């Protein structure tokens, strides 16, 4: 059965969705923005600061399940401007080690709260 996963250490869902859903040995995280959970606002700065906050939020949700970024097998990155790819990728690379997760990166017209980046992940607890 699917199980809702939620933590106050990451931003609350702003719509009819869960922060994450666990099923068997898999965890599916909803897309995370660079929102500070203590203020519900985007962090100040640019793409690097928002990407760093995204990873803090992802880490907090994964921690709630006993997992870490090591367990991430797939990511999807949404960028509001593909010109931010290199800067986002610089921060992204600091959070993963080989073997890197599979990844898709998609340019979108806009993101909620006018964010610059949103990242969703799938993690697996067993290989």
């Amino acid at each position: 059965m699917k199980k809702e996963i939620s933590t106050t250490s990451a931003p609350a869902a702003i719509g009819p969705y869960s922060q994450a859903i666990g099923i068997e040995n898999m965890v599916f995280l909803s897309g995370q923005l660079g929102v500070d959970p203590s203020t519900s606002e985007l962090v100040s700065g640019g793409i690097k600061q928002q990407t760093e906050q995204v990873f803090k939020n992802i880490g907090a949700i994964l921690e709630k399940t006993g997992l870490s970024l090591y367990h991430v097998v797939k990511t999807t990155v949404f960028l509001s401007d593909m010109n931010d790819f290199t800067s986002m990728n610089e921060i992204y690379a600091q959070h993963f080690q080989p073997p890197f997760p599979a990844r898709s990166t998609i340019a979108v017209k806009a993101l909620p709260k006018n964010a610059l980046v949103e990242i969703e992940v799938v993690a697996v607890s067993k290989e």
Side-chain angles (χ1 to χ4, degrees), residues 86-116:
T86 301
S87 295
M88 176 282 300
N89 204 45
E90 180 182 324
I91 302 303
Y92 181 100
Q94 295 173 11
H95 291 278
F96 292 110
Q97 297 187 10
F100 297 108
R103 178 174 82 181
S104 302
T105 303
I106 303 163
V108 296
K109 183 175 180 179
L111 290 166
K113 296 184 172 263
N114 292 315
L116 301 174

Side-chain angles (χ1 to χ4, degrees), residues 47-117:
I47 186 67
K48 289 184 177 183
Q49 292 80 6
Q50 286 189 28
T51 304
E52 190 61 50
Q53 184 64 48
V54 165
F55 277 103
K56 288 179 185 176
N57 297 339
I58 289 170
I61 297 167
L62 289 172
E63 184 177 308
K64 180 73 175 185
T65 68
L67 302 179
S68 69
L69 289 172
Y70 169 81
H71 298 93
V72 173
V73 296
K74 172 70 170 88
T75 68
T76 306
V77 178
F78 302 93
L79 291 172
S80 62
D81 184 346
M82 198 54 86
N83 290 320
D84 287 335
F85 179 84
T86 301
S87 295
M88 176 282 300
N89 204 45
E90 180 182 324
I91 302 303
Y92 181 100
Q94 295 173 11
H95 291 278
F96 292 110
Q97 297 187 10
F100 297 108
R103 178 174 82 181
S104 302
T105 303
I106 303 163
V108 296
K109 183 175 180 179
L111 290 166
K113 296 184 172 263
N114 292 315
L116 301 174
V117 61

